[in-house]
Amino acid sequence: MTDPLRTLVLPPLGSLPLSRADSDRDGDSRTTEDFLDTLWASPDTLVLPLARGKAPVEGSALRLVPPRDVQRPELVVYLGRVNEGATDAGRRVVLAVFAEEEPAIAPVDQWLGLRDIAASLDARDTGLFVEAAAIANWHATHTHCPRCGAVTDVRVAGWVRQCPEDDSEHYPRTDAAIIVSVIDDDDRLLLGSAVAWPEDRFSTLAGFVEPGESLEAAVIREVGEESGIEVQSPQYLGSQPWPFPASLMLGFTARAVTTDAVPDLEEMRSLRWFTREQLFAEVRDGKIAVAGGVSIARALIERWYGGPLDEEPSEGRP
C-alpha cells in the first residue's frame, strides 16, 4: 500500500520529525478473529518491545525481534504492516508492553526513550515508536470503565477496551493542543519560560483546546491567558503527535496586536520578545535554551528565524 503521507501536499512546516511514518496501520485486520494469536505464532511477525516508554535500540534503529525471542506479555497491540520500499517491507509489527526493561532482549542501557533517539531514527521506526508510545500510554491510564469502574478487557488487537459489565467500548484518545509562534510588527518572536521549566529555558506558547472550542479560538485564548497579548489572524502551519502522554500538537503562527507581555505566573514565569540577532547570540552563549530538535516548537522557531539556530542570521532571511 502506498503511504498517503508521500502523496499529500504538506503544510508550511513540512514533514516534522515525529510525523514521519513508513507503515500501514492496517485497521481492517484488527477485527480478524484471534488475530494477535496468529501473529504471535508467525515467524514473519516483528515484535517491538516497550517498557516504561523505552524501546531497545541498536545504533540508530529499533531492535525488532521475532516472537520466539520474546516471552509474550499480558498486553500486546497490533501496530500495522511495513510499507513497500522500507526495511522489512510487508511484515507485520506487534507491540509488546513490559513492566520493566528485559535484559534478555537487550542490555538495559540500550533501552531508550522516544525523545532520546527520535532524531536518529528513519521514518519506519519513528512512526512505529510514536504509535507504540501513544497506545501504551492510553492502556496504562484507561484500565477501568469510566461509567461503572469495572476493569475493562482489551479487544480489537489492542485498539479497544470493552467493559464486561455494561458492554461499553472505549477507544484511544488524543488531546488536541495548539502551539503558536507569536510575531509582532517589528518581526520579533515572543518566547516564554514556563514555571515548571528551568529559568533559562524558553519556547513558544502552547495550550490544550477546550471542549467546544475551535483551534483558532484556542490560539487567541491561550496567548491572551498566558501573556496578556492580543493576537489576530492565526494561520495553521502543521502538526505532529506528541505522545507524552497523548497530545497532537497543532502549530500556528499569529500576529500580535499588542506587545506588552505580562506572564500569568501560574503557567508562565517570564516572557520575552526576541530579534533574530538576540536569539542567536543568547543561544550561542548559553544564556538561554530553546526547544529541542524533534519538537514542533523548534520547527516554529526556526521557520521564523529562517534556518537552523546555530547559523548566524543574515539579511537574506525573512
Side-chain angles (χ1 to χ4, degrees), residues 5 70 139 190 212 233 276 295:
L5 290 178
V70 184
H139 278 289
L190 179 69
S233 305
R276 290 173 181 80
S295 68

Side-chain angles (χ1 to χ4, degrees), residues 1 6 22 82-86 89-90:
M1 179 179 177
R6 292 174 175 168
D22 215 343
V82 180
N83 285 336
E84 295 299 324

Side-chain angles (χ1 to χ4, degrees), residues 291-302:
V294 300
S295 68
I296 190 172
R298 182 62 169 247
L300 288 169
I301 293 170
E302 291 190 339

Side-chain angles (χ1 to χ4, degrees), residues 53-251:
K54 298 180 180 180
V57 175
E58 288 183 329
S60 58
L62 293 178
R63 177 174 168 78
L64 304 179
V65 298
R68 66 175 179 272
D69 292 350
V70 184
Q71 183 174 354
R72 182 172 175 174
E74 181 179 353
L75 178 61
V76 294
V77 181
Y78 177 49
L79 297 180
R81 182 172 47 214
V82 180
N83 285 336
E84 295 299 324
T87 304
D88 296 314
R91 298 180 71 175
R92 299 178 190 269
V93 184
V94 172
L95 164 67
V97 180
F98 297 93
E100 296 182 349
E101 298 88 338
E102 293 284 333
I105 298 173
V108 173
D109 62 359
Q110 292 182 12
W111 291 70
L112 300 175
L114 179 59
R115 283 188 249 203
D116 300 322
I117 193 65
S120 301
L121 297 177
D122 64 13
R124 184 202 71 166
D125 285 358
T126 298
L128 290 173
F129 204 159
V130 170
E131 181 183 2
I135 192 67
N137 286 338
W138 175 70
H139 278 289
T141 56
H142 291 75
T143 55
H144 291 68
C145 176
R147 296 182 178 181
C148 69
V151 176
T152 51
D153 300 320
V154 179
R155 297 283 187 265
V156 193
W159 290 90
V160 174
R161 297 192 73 107
Q162 186 171 30
C163 178
E165 300 295 329
D166 60 20
D167 288 328
S168 60
E169 293 183 340
H170 308 280
Y171 298 86
R173 61 174 295 169
T174 297
D175 299 325
I178 58 87
I179 183 164
V180 54
S181 57
V182 177
I183 301 169
D184 71 2
D185 288 340
D186 293 324
D187 207 19
R188 298 181 300 171
L189 177 69
L190 179 69
L191 297 178
S193 179
V195 172
W197 299 344
E199 291 188 14
D200 63 349
R201 180 182 173 188
F202 283 80
S203 188
T204 49
L205 305 191
F208 288 106
V209 181
E210 294 188 344
E213 185 176 44
S214 71
L215 299 176
E216 294 80 6
V219 169
I220 294 169
R221 175 184 55 77
E222 280 289 345
V223 173
E225 289 177 353
E226 293 185 356
S227 70
I229 288 176
E230 180 184 351
V231 296
Q232 64 182 11
S233 305
Q235 178 188 354
Y236 173 72
L237 298 179
S239 68
Q240 80 168 2
W242 192 250
F244 309 110
S247 297
L248 175 64
M249 304 301 297
L250 299 127

